[in-house]
Every structure is written in C-alpha cells, then in structure tokens.
C-alpha cells in the first residue's frame, strides 16, 4: 500500500489539498488499483529480453522501435533512444531550477524586487 | 418518432426535400421533449433552440443561393468536451461550469462548413473519465432502453441522444472506449477512427496519445458520412494525418455492398472468455453467421496480451491526464476558490472524485521511484499489444470481430469500485492502445438490452472495417 507520506507528497505534486480522511481513503483506493497493475511489471520484463536478447532495462521507445523493425537486420536498425539520449537514473534529486527569488534579482528587500525608478514616475 | 424529418438518413436530409429549418425544428422539439419532466434522460448539458434555428435558416439561404453542402440541415449534437462557439464547453465539470471557448474545434468547424446544424452539447463523464456517465457534475445520464441503467460512458449523452431519436448523429470522444462502449449499451453505431485520422484541435485533452474524436449514429452509413466530413489533416494539429477517401455506400443494397469473398474476419479467443455474458455471446455468434453469409471467411486468431490492456491503459491514461489537467488551476481558466493555497484550493473544490483519483494515480506512477515500475512497464506492454494487432493483420486478417462489452448496460450506481469501472473497457482499450480504428454495431439484445459487436481494422483501414459493418447491419436486418 502507498504510505501516507507518499500519498501526501503525490497530492502536493498534483496540486490537490486532501483532508486527513481523504488521504486515508486515497491510500486504500490507490492500493486497490495498483494491485491490478502489478502484472504489468512482470509482463514487461520478458518483453525486453524477447526483443533484443538482453535483460537490460529498456525504454518504451526502444521496445516500440524494435517491434516495428522485427524483420530488419541489425545493421538497418535505427539508433535506440538510449544511444541518442540516455535516460538518467529514476531517483529523486534536488531541482536545479528551485532557486530563491533573490537569485534572480540584484536587489531584494522585504519580499520585493527593487528596480530603478522609471523617469515617467518622477 | 420513426419517419420524423430529423431521423431520415443524413444523406437524404442533406438532399433538401425538407428545409433545414423544418428538420431543425423537428429535432429541437424532440430534444426539448426528451429533456423535460421527471423522465428526462439528461443527455444534454446545454442547447439553444433559437440559435439552432438561426443556423438552419442560414443553411437554407446558402442552399437557395446554389451552394452544395454535404450535410445541409443535418442536426448534430456535440459532446461537451469539444469546443464550440456560443454554447459553453464544460467537460461536465464544476471547473469549467461557465467556460465559453473563444475558438471552435476543427471537427465542429468542418461540420458547420458542410451545412450541419449544431443543436447542443451532450453530457459526459467529467473530463471524459468514466464508463457510465455517472460522474458528470450535471447529474447522470439515463439509458433510453432502460432509464434505471447507465448509457455507458464517457460519451453517454451523445449515445443516449442518438438512441432516443433526439438527434440523428453526434460527436463523441474515445480514449479507451468512450464512443464504442456507450454505442453498444444504447444500441447505436459508434466509430473510433485511427489515431490521427481526426484533428484533436479543440478536443479538451484527457490522454493525448489515446484521445480521438469519434462519431455516433443510427446507421453505419450515417456514422461513416459524418466521419468522412470531419476527418483529414489539419495544420492546427500536427498529429493529424490523412482524410478518408472512401465511405460506406449511402444505400445498403446488395449491389453496392458487393460480397466479401476472400476477405477474412479474425475472431480473437481472448475476447470470448468463459464468463462472457451468455446473451452477448449468442448475439455475437449470430453476427458471425451473418458475416459468413456475406462471404467472409471467419478465422480463429489470438491477441495474447489482451488481459494486460486495462492495467496498461489505467496507468498511461491517468499519467497523461495528470499532465493535461495541470492547466486547470483557477487562474487562467477554471473555477477560483477562496482560501488556502490558490491552485490546490481551486482544483480540490472543482474536480470530482474520479478525476482527482485519476490525477493522483497518474502523478504517482510518473513520480521518481515509481516511474520505471509502473509507467515504463506500461509503455513496454503497450508496444506488445500493438504488435499483437500488427502480426494478426500481417497474417492475412482484414478485420477483427469481438464483443464490444462483456455484458449489457449495468444499473445506475451498481459499480462503485474504481478498477471494476476501468475493467468495463476490457474489450475496447486494446484497440485504443494500438491506435487502430474500431467500431461498435448493434448485433442484437440480451434480456431486452442492446448488445454491440466490435469490428477492428488495421491502421488507416477504416474502409474495410466500415464495409464489414455495413454488410453486418444489412444482414441482421434481413
């Protein structure tokens, strides 16, 4: 079952404000749905091996490209997305864009950006 | 109702034996009557009698001036997640309760330019997320065949309006089955085209890699003609490719339909499980006999990954929905709430329970630490499901035939478990994931309720699919 913290964080990412009761209900509902979806992981794992003879994790684009070229020789296959644009590891990391407002302005005072006064306002 | 001016074949309406004004007046009278009183179906969210008549008068003037319009005077209802000018576009949500679009969808513009009269906006599951049209913020829709039952969803309003004889044809949208399943439950024809056949410009996005505008009608010919008019490439939608060059003949005479010698109908075993409703099985087997009599060779085939379609669809559609619905924040458009953090307050107050559930599921499966396990896996399985169809068609099958649904329409309020509702799309989700065209044709009844048979074509193979549907329709009438 997704933890309470996972549900609260997911709601924050989704822009939804859930009450305590709603968090608990959402935990149960998501758990019920995710149980049915677990079968996907098992089915997807042999598919990667089936397509290219490798058990490495492969992107969906690679798999789709591979099944579309099932009759094509090795030399004719287009480059895979891993070769063109490698995926990063699926791990949480700090957002490089998450910078404070003061980073963007030379002067920052009392919660406001300070700017040169316009001549028209003299 | 039979014989009413607005319920003739739409190709005949367009020939102009009756003025557009008289056809529209007959249609709007049926709409007002059907939507009034305690027995109302609630198929429409909005309609405008005077505006519809004004459109019809313009069509009559254009025809009198010598213009030839393929759909002159044909009344059409539009699902309320497709943008129109004048009438609101609410998506059956409090979030867009008062929203008037500044532009109209390409599909709607093409209908108007062909002389069709847009009569109203039909009810749907909120943001097209559902299989029963019970989640609308404007109340559920009733099935015309049994008002205690659902019409199916999410295009339940469009299907009910056509089935009840309020309009001859309607637009819907189909993401995982939302045109075909209500068509089956209401006993009408519903077509989901190849993904990319019809422009999605002006269709409020639910799951962009799955959404398609589809058509509903009282006959294969009516639905196919409507599809032909709205299809075709559109510079406003770069994912939209080519139009349809052929359509089912206007009349279903034996000469026009010809025979189907050397054409092969594939029947996938996975769509006829042991627990299939006996009435649905009987009706589908009768339909296969009709197709054999029409000259088709019927062959048993397999689509081995069919059982994974609902889990894969649940993940992928929810993931795309969580992204597409992020724009509704109560600032640019949408309901603005008081108190709390602005975006969260607006979204929490305005979205219904099912929409919130799917946004949560979609956000969860896309989040760091869960993406590979759920979303990436679903993408791989989607490729497997698509390959199942590619291999069957490559092996010589022209069109597949399956039940559209595992059972007829269920009672209002009968399904409360979320995944059980998702499973209502068990036979329709696979074609959506593969991007191939599919249609539902009425093939009989089970305990007095309509049963739909689904025909599935190869990518861009609408012609063979529609011809099979027309032959099936004719054979069942004989």
């Amino acid at each position: 079952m997704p933890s309470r913290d996972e549900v609260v964080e997911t709601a924050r990412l989704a822009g939804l404000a859930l009450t305590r009761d709603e968090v608990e209900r959402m935990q149960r509902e998501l758990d019920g749905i995710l149980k049915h979806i677990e079968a996907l992981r098992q089915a997807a794992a042999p598919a990667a091996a089936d397509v290219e003879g490798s058990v490495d994790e492969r992107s969906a684009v690679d798999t789709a490209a591979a099944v579309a070229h099932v009759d094509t020789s090795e030399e004719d296959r287009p480059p895979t997305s891993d070769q063109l644009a490698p995926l990063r590891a699926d791990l949480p990391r700090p957002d490089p864009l998450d910078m404070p407002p003061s980073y963007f302005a030379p002067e920052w005072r009392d919660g406001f950006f300070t700017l040169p006064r316009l001549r028209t306002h003299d | 109702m039979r014989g009413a001016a607005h319920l003739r074949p739409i190709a005949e309406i367009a020939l102009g034996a009756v003025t557009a004004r008289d056809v529209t007046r007959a249609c709007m009278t049926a709409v007002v009557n059907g939507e009034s009183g305690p027995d109302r179906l609630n198929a429409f969210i909005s309609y405008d009698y005077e505006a519809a008549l004004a459109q019809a008068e313009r069509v009559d003037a254009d025809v009198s001036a010598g213009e030839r319009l393929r759909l002159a005077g044909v009344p059409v209802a539009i699902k309320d997640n497709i943008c129109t000018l004048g009438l609101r576009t609410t998506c059956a949500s409090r979030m867009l309760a008062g929203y008037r679009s500044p532009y109209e969808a390409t599909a709607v513009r093409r209908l108007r330019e062909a002389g069709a009269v847009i009569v109203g906006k039909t009810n749907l599951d909120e943001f097209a997320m559902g299989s029963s049209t019970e989640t609308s913020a404007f109340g559920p829709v009733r099935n015309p065949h049994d008002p205690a039952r659902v019409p199916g969803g999410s295009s339940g309003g469009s299907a009910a309006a056509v089935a009840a004889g309020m309009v001859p044809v309607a637009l819907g949208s189909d993401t995982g089955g939302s045109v075909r399943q209500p068509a089956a439950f209401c006993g009408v024809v519903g077509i989901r085209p190849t993904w990319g056949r019809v422009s999605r410009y002006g269709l409020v996005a639910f799951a962009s890699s799955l959404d398609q505008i589809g058509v509903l009608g009282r006959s294969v010919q009516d639905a196919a003609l409507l599809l032909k008019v709205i299809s075709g490439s559109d510079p406003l939608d770069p994912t939209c490719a080519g139009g349809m060059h052929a359509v089912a003949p206007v009349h279903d005479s034996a000469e026009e339909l010809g025979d189907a010698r050397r054409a092969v109908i594939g029947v996938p075993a996975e769509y006829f499980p042991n627990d299939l409703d006996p009435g649905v099985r009987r009706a589908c087997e009768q339909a296969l006999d009709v197709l054999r009599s029409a000259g088709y060779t019927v062959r048993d085939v397999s689509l081995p990954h069919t059982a994974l379609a609902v889990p894969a669809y649940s993940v992928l559609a929810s993931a795309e929905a969580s992204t597409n619905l992020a724009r509704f924040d109560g600032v640019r458009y949408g309901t603005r709430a008081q108190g709390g953090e602005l975006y969260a307050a607006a979204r929490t107050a305005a979205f219904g329970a099912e929409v919130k559930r799917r946004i949560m599921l979609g956000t969860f499966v896309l989040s760091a630490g869960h993406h590979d396990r759920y979303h990436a896996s679903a993408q791989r399985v989607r490729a497997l499901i698509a390959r199942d169809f590619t291999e069957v068609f490559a092996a010589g099958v022209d069109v597949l035939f399956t039940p559209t649904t595992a059972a007829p329409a269920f009672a209002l309020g009968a399904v409360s478990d979320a995944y059980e509702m998702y499973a209502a799309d068990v036979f329709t989700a696979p074609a959506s994931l593969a991007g191939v065209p599919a249609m539902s044709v009425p093939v009989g009844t089970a305990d007095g309720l309509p049963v739909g048979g689904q025909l599935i074509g190869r990518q861009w193979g609408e012609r063979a699919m529609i011809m099979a549907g027309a032959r099936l329709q004719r054979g069942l009438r004989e």
Side-chain angles (χ1 to χ4, degrees):
Chain A
M1 179 184 281
S3 70
R4 189 181 186 286
D5 286 348
E6 282 180 317
V7 172
V8 168
E9 174 62 5
T10 301
R12 186 189 71 79
L13 291 170
L16 294 171
L18 302 181
T19 63
R20 190 188 187 95
D21 287 346
E22 286 169 335
V23 168
E24 286 176 11
R25 189 173 69 239
M26 195 62 75
Q27 270 184 280
R28 291 192 298 274
E29 289 177 355
L30 286 180
D31 184 51
I33 296 170
L34 291 169
K35 278 189 169 71
H36 291 282
I37 290 167
E38 282 299 327
L40 289 174
R41 200 172 180 214
Q42 209 169 358
D50 181 51
V51 165
E52 295 253 89
S54 164
V55 297
D56 290 340
E57 286 286 309
R58 216 160 276 278
S59 74
V61 172
D62 290 351
T63 306
V67 301
H69 294 84
V70 71
D71 293 325
T72 308
S73 69
E74 192 70 40
E75 293 77 19
D76 293 337
R77 286 196 181 156
T80 65
S81 65
D82 275 352
Q83 292 165 337
L84 291 170
L87 294 173
R88 64 169 177 85
D90 183 28
L91 297 169
R93 64 179 187 179
D95 186 342
L97 296 177
D98 187 17
M99 291 174 282
S102 55
Y103 177 86
F104 296 98
E107 288 184 44
W108 169 259
R109 190 172 67 226
D110 296 335
F112 291 91
F113 292 110
T114 61
L115 301 170
R117 187 177 181 80
L118 294 174
R119 282 191 194 153
T120 53
H121 285 65
D122 287 336
Chain B
M1 191 77 73
R2 196 170 294 192
H6 66 294
L7 296 180
R8 296 179 182 183
I10 62 173
E12 282 185 30
I13 295 175
L15 289 174
V18 180
T19 64
R21 183 183 164 84
D22 286 343
V23 170
T24 300
R25 196 155 38 193
C27 170
M28 294 310 295
T29 300
V31 170
V32 170
N33 288 343
E35 292 291 281
S36 304
D39 297 329
R40 61 189 295 252
L41 296 178
N42 204 30
F44 282 84
I45 289 177
S46 58
Y47 54 85
D48 188 333
Y49 195 118
E50 294 305 323
L53 280 183
Q55 287 179 63
E57 283 165 2
R58 280 196 295 276
V59 170
D60 282 334
D62 289 342
V63 169
S64 296
E67 274 200 61
R68 297 181 66 165
L69 301 169
R70 280 191 295 183
L71 295 178
V74 173
V76 185
I78 308 292
K79 186 178 181 182
D80 205 19
N81 62 344
I82 300 172
C83 290
T84 51
L85 296 171
L87 293 167
R88 291 175 298 160
T89 300
T90 70
C91 297
S93 178
R94 277 187 293 272
M95 178 62 81
L96 294 176
Y99 178 66
R100 290 186 191 275
S101 174
Y103 70 99
E104 66 182 349
T106 294
V108 174
R109 178 177 55 78
R110 286 175 172 169
L111 290 175
R112 276 198 311 100
E113 289 173 350
V117 175
I118 309 303
V119 301
K121 306 298 290 292
T122 54
N123 207 348
L124 64 153
D125 280 303
E126 187 183 5
F127 281 106
M129 297 182 197
S131 303
S132 63
T133 317
E134 292 177 289
T135 67
S136 168
F138 298 90
V141 177
R142 300 168 185 270
N143 191 314
H145 295 273
D146 181 347
R149 293 181 187 262
V150 302
S154 60
S155 308
S158 286
V162 172
M166 288 193 252
V167 291
V169 285
L171 292 190
S173 71
D174 190 304
T175 302
S178 288
V179 160
R180 292 163 283 157
Q181 186 251 28
F185 278 9
C186 290
V188 299
V189 174
I191 304 178
R192 175 204 164 87
T194 301
W195 189 85
R197 174 73 79 186
V198 176
S199 171
R200 289 180 296 114
Y201 181 77
L203 170 65
V204 177
F206 160 15
S208 307
S209 78
L210 296 159
D211 291 342
Q212 267 293 270
I213 290 177
V215 296
L216 297 106
R218 295 161 63 82
S219 69
V220 172
Q221 284 78 7
D222 279 2
L225 178 54
L226 205 72
L227 178 60
K228 182 174 169 64
V229 169
I230 66 173
S231 64
S233 59
D234 180 15
L236 296 169
D237 176 2
T239 69
C240 183
M244 279 171 53
H245 302 294
V247 71
V250 171
H251 305 290
D252 57 354
S253 67
E255 292 74 27
E256 283 181 295
L257 290 176
D259 68 40
R261 262 178 297 176
R262 293 183 298 278
V264 177
I265 298 280
V267 180
E270 292 81 5
Y271 287 68
F272 289 85
N274 293 336
D275 59 352
L276 184 66
D277 178 271
V280 170
R281 185 185 297 275
R282 222 174 5 257
C284 288
E285 285 172 352
Q286 180 192 6
L288 284 168
D289 287 339
V290 168
L291 289 166
R292 286 188 188 92
S293 299
Y296 286 98
T297 300
V298 175
R299 183 195 301 173
D300 290 335
V301 299
S302 176
L303 296 169
H305 297 95
T306 297
L308 295 168
V310 169
Y313 172 80
S314 301
V315 169
L316 296 172
S318 297
E320 293 187 30
S322 71
T323 304
N324 279 323
L325 269 65
R327 71 195 70 188
F328 299 111
D329 53 18
V331 178
R332 287 162 294 172
Y333 34 46
T335 303
R336 183 171 294 194
Q338 297 298 321
E341 194 268 307
L342 179 65
Y343 290 5
R347 290 163 63 79
T348 306
F351 285 143
E354 180 58 35
V355 169
K356 281 191 256 197
R357 188 164 33 239
R358 296 205 192 195
I359 289 173
M360 286 290 291
L361 175 64
T363 306
F364 184 84
V365 300
L366 285 173
S367 61
H370 299 293
H371 171 269
D372 279 359
R373 180 175 185 160
Y374 297 111
H375 191 258
S377 297
Q379 290 279 36
R380 292 189 197 99
V381 167
R382 182 176 187 176
L384 294 174
I385 290 169
R387 187 171 66 175
D388 284 354
F389 283 94
T390 302
E391 289 179 350
V392 157
F393 289 125
V397 168
D398 295 289
V399 179
L400 293 160
F401 178 82
T402 80
T404 306
T405 59
F410 45 88
L412 285 160
V415 178
S416 55
D417 177 77
Y419 198 80
E420 188 181 345
M421 188 64 80
Y422 302 167
D425 294 336
V426 62
F427 294 155
T428 52
S432 294
L433 290 166
V436 293
M439 66 188 290
S440 183
V441 177
V443 294
T445 59
D447 296 327
L449 295 168
V451 173
Q454 178 175 233
L455 293 156
I456 305 174
R458 64 182 72 217
Q459 264 189 331
W460 310 111
E462 276 86 338
R463 177 175 168 78
M465 178 186 78
I466 289 172
M467 288 300 287
R471 291 179 180 126
L472 177 57
Q473 174 186 267
R474 182 169 194 276
L476 287 168
R477 281 183 185 155
E478 286 175 347

